[in-house]
Amino acid sequence: MSTMSNPEEADTLAPELPAMFDGMKLAAVATILYVVIRCLNLKSRTEPPQVTCQDTVLSRYLLKSCPLLTKEYVPPLLWGKSGHLQTALYGKMGRINTPTPRGVRKFLPMPDGATATFDLFEALREHRTGGDVTMVICPGIGNHSEHKYIRTFVDHSQRQGYRCAVLNHLGALPNLELTAPRLFTYGCTWEFAAMVDSVKQAYPLTLLVVVGFSLGGNVVCKFLGENPSNQNRVICCISVCQGYSALRAQETFLQWDQCRRVYNFILADNMKKLILSHRSSFLTSSSSIGEVELSRLFAATSLMQIDDAIMRKFHGYSSVKDYYEEESCVQYIHNVSVPLLLVNSCDDPLVHPSLLEIPHSLAEKKPNVMFILTQHGGHMGFFEGAMLLPHPLTWMDKVIVECVNALCWWEEERPACENQQKDLRTSDVSLTPGLRVIESNLIEDIKLNSAFRI
């Protein structure tokens, strides 16, 4: 039997084959473009930050004095709308054209034998208010003053007239041995408190601006809420990209959506390396960590497993649940009475959207709290730029300093503002257009005074 095809049928199919292949190519290109657009989130629109706060004289003043709070945050067009790429580039690159500010390292002995360290950077110019203002800064998990995002922020702040003190998390500095078998933990404020006390003693007239990044945001908010005296001489507190509740955050870290489980594994691996780099310090008679705990560490694939095996034992917590509950700032943040700015990003892959209900609710209830939520920025990214290359300074660097500048002027004029608010509260007049004019005039007076002093 012949297997030869009919010549007429072959002639009929031949013209159709190129068209079929062209269709497959177009389909493949369309699929690739669709995936790229979805992955890079290119269809997402740039928007101004969503600001949640009560309607107060202070909030109106901040919104008028800080243009970055009301104008669009525009990330680099080709990749900046992807929270994953923003986060990954921050993690790998930190910042571009990173400056190298020069500071002095300070060593502080702790009551338990540990040695806290922080780096002190003097201002590069006089502060615009003519006063002495120090930023006390707490970095993210396992970070220190030598990380690029810290160096960039410190350099920018120095040039605006701020002295900067940056905590080096206990055990995070390379080539610096522990003097006690203990590392930093999620919410331990001992080292940060020691740094703040040291700054206050060295500079009796300085006012403080408290800044915390990621895990550092939890530490500083917990520190201020633990004891009212910790808020003495504090102008304001700014927290960036923290999760507020460790217990709820760790539960979301076990989920696969937004690749959160992958980030969990990467962070856990970094923590594992940090702990093992101090292995000899833990295998001592005074340590609560032994070979059993270290053997559990090798098998750990999540932060929760590491916290259960190692971290909670530094402070004697009986369970990881107790550790998370006691060391989360959500238990203390409502006690903070100084102006408190909480900054997060919608596309932060490390902070689940459900966690953002905490700052949102707090800002609705407390007149001193402002919650600033950007559409883009990832975790600690907030890069700006036109198409591809980001700018050296990020939106985060600029907005923190801009808000702090405004709050420093507010602190200068606070007695007059408080008297004005008191008069308004004791008045029987409701919120009328006339009252709004009074508030507007007060704000303009502050801005006018600021202009003259500059």
Side-chain angles (χ1 to χ4, degrees), residues 17 21 36 44 52 101 116 134 180 205 264 296 339 354 361 402 406 439:
L17 289 176
F21 288 128
V36 168
S44 176
T52 304
T134 304
L205 298 180
N264 191 359
R296 290 180 61 192
S354 63
S361 175
E402 183 178 80
E439 291 183 330

Side-chain angles (χ1 to χ4, degrees), residues 40-68:
L40 298 182
N41 203 21
L42 294 179
K43 294 183 67 176
S44 176
R45 296 190 304 175
T46 57
E47 298 178 359
Q50 302 172 31
V51 179
T52 304
C53 60
Q54 290 191 11
D55 186 12
T56 65
V57 177
L58 175 58
S59 64
R60 293 183 186 186
Y61 166 70
L62 274 175
L63 291 173
K64 287 189 176 183
S65 303
C66 305
L68 289 174

Side-chain angles (χ1 to χ4, degrees), residues 150-215:
I150 294 292
R151 285 163 48 187
T152 302
F153 176 70
V154 165
D155 180 76
H156 181 48
S157 300
Q158 285 180 291
R159 296 178 188 278
Q160 297 295 314
Y162 295 97
R163 180 188 300 109
C164 295
V166 183
L167 180 70
N168 300 309
H169 283 299
L170 195 62
L173 278 173
N175 305 318
L176 187 63
E177 293 295 326
L178 297 174
T179 58
R182 177 172 68 84
L183 288 174
F184 74 94
T185 57
Y186 180 72
C188 179
T189 59
W190 297 352
E191 292 83 44
F192 188 76
M195 179 181 76
V196 170
D197 288 343
S198 177
V199 170
K200 285 182 175 179
Q201 291 175 18
Y203 305 96
L205 298 180
T206 194
L207 296 176
L208 303 178
V209 172
V210 180
V211 181
F213 297 106
S214 193
L215 173 141

Side-chain angles (χ1 to χ4, degrees), residues 259 263 296 313 378 411 427:
C259 301
Y263 286 105
R296 290 180 61 192
K313 298 187 178 181
E411 181 69 20
S427 171

Side-chain angles (χ1 to χ4, degrees), residues 64-102:
K64 287 189 176 183
S65 303
C66 305
L68 289 174
L69 295 180
T70 54
K71 66 183 291 188
E72 285 183 339
Y73 158 52
V74 183
L77 178 63
L78 293 181
W79 54 268
K81 294 180 181 180
S82 167
H84 294 293
L85 286 179
Q86 287 254 19
T87 302
L89 285 175
Y90 147 72
K92 290 294 183 183
M93 182 178 66
R95 297 292 184 258
I96 65 168
N97 299 329
T98 308
T100 308
R102 295 183 178 182

Side-chain angles (χ1 to χ4, degrees), residues 203-273:
Y203 305 96
L205 298 180
T206 194
L207 296 176
L208 303 178
V209 172
V210 180
V211 181
F213 297 106
S214 193
L215 173 141
N218 179 76
V219 171
V220 300
C221 289
K222 181 172 178 281
F223 165 75
L224 292 177
E226 283 177 333
N227 191 326
S229 66
N230 291 343
Q231 301 178 51
N232 293 343
R233 294 164 56 182
V234 173
I235 295 175
C236 64
C237 174
I238 300 181
S239 162
V240 183
C241 287
Q242 70 149 309
Y244 306 96
S245 170
L247 184 61
R248 289 166 60 177
Q250 292 302 326
E251 290 171 352
T252 65
F253 257 172
L254 298 176
Q255 302 169 2
W256 283 99
D257 66 303
Q258 293 298 310
C259 301
R260 204 166 285 111
R261 189 69 177 86
V262 176
Y263 286 105
N264 191 359
F265 179 81
I266 294 172
L267 290 172
D269 190 58
N270 291 337
M271 275 302 300
K272 193 184 302 185
K273 292 175 182 176

